[in-house]
Amino acid sequence: MTIAGRKVPVTAYIGGIIVLLAVIMILFAPWIAPYPQTKIVGGVWDLPNAKDWLGTDSIGRDMLSRLIYGGRTSVSIALIATCLTMIIGVGLGFVAASTNKLVDNVISRIVDVLLAMPILIFGLMVFAVLGTSIPIMIITIAVLESTRVFRLARAVAMNITVMDYVQVARLRGEGIGWVIFREILPNALPPLVAEFGLRFCFTFLFIASLSFLGLGIQPPAADWGSMVHDNAQAISFGGFAPLFPAGAIAVVTIGVNLVVDWLLSIHALPAGAGAEI
Amino acid sequence: MGILRFVAARAALGVLTLIAVSILLYLGTQLLPGDVASALLGQSATPEALAVLRAKLGLNEPAYLRYLHWLWGVVHGNLGNSLTTGTPIASALMPRLGNTLFLAGYAAIIAVPLAVGLGILSAIREGSLMDRLASILSLATISFPEFFVSYILIVVFASELGWLPSLATVYGGMDFWDRVDATTLPAITLTLVVVAHMLRMTRTSTLAVMSAPYVETAFLKGLSRSRVVLSHALPNALGPIINVVAINLAYLVVGVVVVEVVFVYPGVGQLMVDAVTKRDLPVVQACGLVFAIVFIGLNTIADICAALANPRLRSRKRQ
C-alpha cells in the first residue's frame, strides 16, 4: 500500500496494529475483561495460570482485567493532557508568530525560563504546593509541556507568515483570527500532527512515572503507572507482577512512536526530532 | 577575545536563568491556599498560634524580601529547616547529593563512550545491520519507562541470576567497591535510558557533516569511508556531539529520580519525592534548586563547549 506516494514501511503497520488493538481494548474494556476490575479472584500475586492469565495483583485481583481497565485511565488522561498541551502551545506559538514583536518577546522569554528546567522538577514543585489530583496534574503537564510545543509551532508559523498569501490576507484587512485559523493552521498541520504523536508518547510516559512515584493518578482509579507502584513489592517475592503494566506502557509507547516515525518520514523531518528532554 | 566574550555572555545568561528559575521555585509556594503556617498547624490552629508561627517563619514580610532572605541563606549554605523533621536541610541534602552524583557519574562513565562509539560506528556503516540494530534499540529505550527497564534488570540479574543486589543500599563509610557493586544495576538502567538519545544525536551530527562538499571531495580522492569519517567529518561534528553529551548528562542527573525510587537509593531524587508526598516545601525547594543548578550548569557548559569546538558557531552567535 502507498500513502502520499510512498510505500508504507512494515514498522508503521506494526505501530498501527498496536495502536488499533489498544483503542479496541480501551473502548470495549467491560466486554473484553474476564472479571470486574475490583473483584478479588485469587491469592496475593498468584503466578499466571489457566484461570488468571496474567496472575493476580497485590490484593488478589485479576491482573489481566485490571490491565484492560487501567488502560482506559492511562490513555484517556494522557490524551486529554496532550490535547490541552497542543491547544496552549500551538495557540501561543501562532499568536507569537503573527502578532507584534513585543508579544513574541514576552511569551518567548517566559517559555525560555520554563524550558530551562526539566518538566519533572517543576511538576514535583507544583504538586508539593497544590497537592495531587487529576485536574491539577493535567493542567500542570499541559502548561509545562506546551512550552516545548510552543517552540515548534512558533517556528513553523514564522515560516508561513512570510508567505505571500498571508501578506495578501493581511492587506485584505483580515483579522488575526482569520490569519491564524484560515491561513497558518491548514499549512502547519502536518508537522503538528507528528508533534501531537510525540507529545502523546512523552505525556503518557510522564504520567506513568508520576503515578509510579505515587504522585499521579490516585486510587481507586486503576492506571498502569500506579499498578506498577502497587505491585512493585512482588519482585522481592520472586514474582513479576509489575512487569505487566510496565510492559503495557512500553508497548503502547512503541506503537505510537512507530506511527509517528512514519509520519515524520513522510514530511521529511529528521527522525527523532521531537525526542527531546 | 571573541571566545572570552562568548563564554562570559553565555555564563551570565546561565546565571540569569538560574535566578529566574529560583524566583519561580520560591514564589511558586505563594500559590498555596492559605500559607505555610496554616498548612503546618492544620485546621484546628488558633489565630494566636498562627500569628506566632508566621512571625517565626518570617511570613509577615513581603514576598520579595523573603525571597532575598532565602537566597542570602542559600548562598551561605543555609537552606533552612525541614518542616517535618525540623533539622537543617543542608545536612540531610549534602550526603544525598554525593550519592546522586556518584550514581550519575557511574552511569556517565558507561554511557558516554558507549553512545558516542556506537553513534559514530552507525554513521560509518549507515544502513548496515548494526546501524539498524542501533536504531531499533534506541527506539525501544526511548519508549520504555525507566521503571520497566529497572524491573526487567532486577528480575534477570537479581532474582534469576543473583549476580547483583536488587536494592541499592549504601551507607556512609562504605567501601568503594561495595558501593560500585550496589549501584551497578541502577547505573545500567540509567545508561540504557540516556544512551539512545545520545547515540541518535551523535549519528545525526556525524551524518550531517557527511553531506558537506569537502567530505565528498575526500571520498572522490579515494579515501576509505572510515578514514573520511574519522579524520574529516568527525572533527567538525565534535561540537554538536559534545553538546549532546552534556545535555544528556544534565538529563541523567534528573533521570535519577525514578531510578532512585525503584532501587530505594538514598539520593536527592528520592528525598524530593518523599518531601513532595509529605508536602515539606522547604525541602522540595532545596532539592529543586540543586537540580536546577546542576541542570542549568551542565547546559551552559554544553553550549560553551560546543562553541569552543566550532569557531563558526561562535561568530554566528555574536552577530
Side-chain angles (χ1 to χ4, degrees):
Chain A
M1 196 173 79
T2 53
I3 291 179
R6 282 171 190 243
K7 204 162 159 275
V8 180
V10 180
T11 48
Y13 275 117
I14 299 173
I17 289 169
I18 292 173
V19 172
L20 197 70
L21 285 178
V23 169
I24 291 174
M25 195 184 80
I26 286 155
L27 288 179
F28 302 105
W31 290 276
I32 298 172
Y35 300 97
Q37 57 170 332
T38 49
K39 192 176 174 205
I40 293 172
V41 297
V44 173
W45 291 320
D46 281 350
L47 291 175
N49 55 57
K51 189 166 72 69
D52 308 304
W53 290 358
L54 299 180
T56 57
D57 75 351
S58 54
I59 56 170
R61 294 168 295 197
D62 181 50
M63 181 58 87
L64 180 64
S65 309
R66 297 277 294 166
L67 211 57
I68 291 170
Y69 278 101
R72 279 192 151 178
T73 325
S74 294
V75 173
S76 54
I77 289 182
L79 261 184
I80 297 170
T82 315
C83 290
L84 201 59
T85 304
M86 293 303 287
I87 292 170
I88 300 174
V90 172
L92 286 179
F94 284 3
V95 166
S98 51
T99 48
N100 60 44
K101 207 141 184 89
L102 180 73
V103 176
D104 182 21
N105 271 332
V106 170
I107 302 178
S108 293
R109 289 300 83 74
I110 294 173
V111 165
D112 279 350
V113 173
L114 288 174
L115 275 173
M117 281 286 284
I119 291 178
L120 181 62
I121 302 303
F122 267 136
L124 287 180
M125 192 69 210
V126 175
F127 298 142
V129 174
L130 295 177
T132 44
S133 72
I134 292 178
I136 289 177
M137 182 176 71
I138 289 177
I139 293 170
T140 308
I141 293 175
V143 169
L144 292 176
E145 254 188 73
S146 62
T147 54
R148 276 71 177 168
V149 177
F150 168 83
R151 291 258 278 229
L152 176 82
R154 181 178 168 278
V156 171
M158 280 290 189
N159 286 333
I160 297 172
T161 45
V162 295
M163 293 288 175
D164 289 341
Y165 55 82
V166 179
Q167 302 293 330
V168 169
R170 284 200 166 135
L171 288 175
R172 218 163 50 217
E174 304 290 0
I176 173 133
W178 175 285
V179 170
I180 287 178
F181 285 106
R182 301 297 295 272
E183 309 291 347
I184 300 179
L185 189 60
N187 293 294
L189 222 45
L192 292 182
V193 169
E195 178 70 8
F196 181 88
L198 283 171
R199 281 301 129 199
F200 174 80
C201 288
F202 189 88
T203 312
F204 186 65
L205 285 178
F206 187 63
I207 293 177
S209 295
L210 286 177
S211 298
F212 169 74
L213 295 174
L215 301 170
I217 299 157
Q218 306 289 327
D223 84 295
W224 291 344
S226 51
M227 284 172 71
V228 179
H229 175 85
D230 294 342
N231 293 302
Q233 296 296 323
I235 292 277
S236 336
F237 300 108
F240 30 84
L243 287 184
F244 297 119
I249 295 166
V251 169
V252 169
T253 318
I254 287 191
V256 179
N257 255 330
L258 287 174
V259 175
V260 170
D261 265 3
W262 168 62
L263 286 176
L264 284 172
S265 74
I266 290 182
H267 302 295
L269 287 169
E276 54 165 297
I277 299 149
Chain B
M1 181 59 208
I3 301 174
L4 277 180
R5 258 182 65 183
F6 174 78
V7 171
R10 188 61 191 84
L13 183 68
V15 172
L16 268 180
T17 317
L18 192 57
I19 291 174
V21 168
S22 77
I23 290 175
L24 212 60
L25 283 179
Y26 189 79
L27 296 187
T29 56
Q30 304 296 317
L31 291 170
L32 192 70
D35 61 8
V36 181
S38 51
L40 262 180
L41 292 177
Q43 295 271 321
S44 53
T46 59
E48 291 78 22
L50 274 178
V52 169
L53 188 64
R54 282 205 182 104
K56 197 179 145 209
L57 294 172
L59 291 180
N60 294 326
E61 292 175 13
Y64 71 92
L65 267 183
R66 270 184 283 143
Y67 169 72
L68 289 178
H69 278 158
W70 178 70
L71 196 65
W72 184 254
V74 168
V75 172
H76 291 80
N78 174 17
L79 292 164
N81 291 335
S82 156
L83 290 183
T84 44
T85 62
T87 49
I89 296 170
S91 61
L93 191 62
M94 284 310 151
R96 280 168 175 268
L97 180 60
N99 287 344
T100 294
L101 292 179
F102 179 84
L103 178 55
Y106 187 5
I109 288 174
I110 311 175
V112 174
L114 193 69
V116 174
L118 285 180
I120 293 171
L121 212 62
S122 349
I124 294 179
R125 307 188 176 194
E126 193 195 355
S128 71
L129 186 68
M130 206 227 91
D131 182 27
R132 268 186 259 165
L133 215 64
S135 87
I136 291 173
L137 185 85
S138 54
L139 175 74
T141 51
I142 285 173
S143 305
F144 289 174
E146 285 108 330
F147 47 79
F148 184 54
V149 180
S150 310
Y151 285 130
I152 287 185
L153 290 176
I154 291 179
V155 165
V156 174
F157 292 102
S159 304
E160 299 295 324
L161 297 172
W163 289 351
L164 293 160
S166 62
L167 297 181
T169 324
V170 294
Y171 45 86
M174 194 176 180
D175 179 63
F176 177 77
W177 290 111
D178 286 346
R179 195 176 277 259
V180 167
D181 187 49
T183 49
T184 296
L185 272 188
I188 294 176
T189 308
L190 276 174
T191 303
L192 287 176
V193 171
V194 292
V195 118
H197 190 237
M198 260 197 274
L199 191 157
R200 272 190 165 192
M201 297 300 288
T202 306
R203 179 178 176 275
T204 314
S205 319
T206 315
L207 283 180
V209 178
M210 297 290 285
S211 58
Y214 77 92
V215 173
E216 202 181 341
T217 310
F219 273 122
L220 292 176
K221 278 197 302 192
L223 297 178
S224 72
R225 194 172 166 86
S226 50
R227 174 92 193 273
V228 174
V229 171
L230 292 178
S231 60
H232 292 253
L234 202 55
N236 275 304
L238 215 52
I241 291 176
I242 293 173
N243 199 1
V244 167
V245 167
I247 288 171
N248 276 282
L249 290 186
Y251 178 71
L252 204 59
V253 177
V254 180
V256 295
V257 174
V258 170
V259 174
E260 281 179 1
V261 172
V262 173
F263 290 95
V264 202
Y265 184 72
V268 184
Q270 207 204 27
L271 181 70
M272 187 167 183
V273 172
D274 274 353
V276 172
T277 358
K278 292 177 190 152
R279 303 189 68 176
D280 190 340
L281 285 176
V283 177
V284 178
Q285 274 169 348
C287 295
L289 191 70
V290 166
F291 279 123
I293 292 170
V294 175
F295 195 79
I296 295 171
L298 280 170
N299 271 314
T300 307
I301 293 172
D303 275 7
I304 291 174
C305 286
L308 291 182
N310 183 357
R312 278 175 307 172
L313 203 62
R314 273 196 314 265
S315 53
R316 203 184 304 149
K317 288 235 165 129
R318 226 172 41 217
Q319 280 163 8

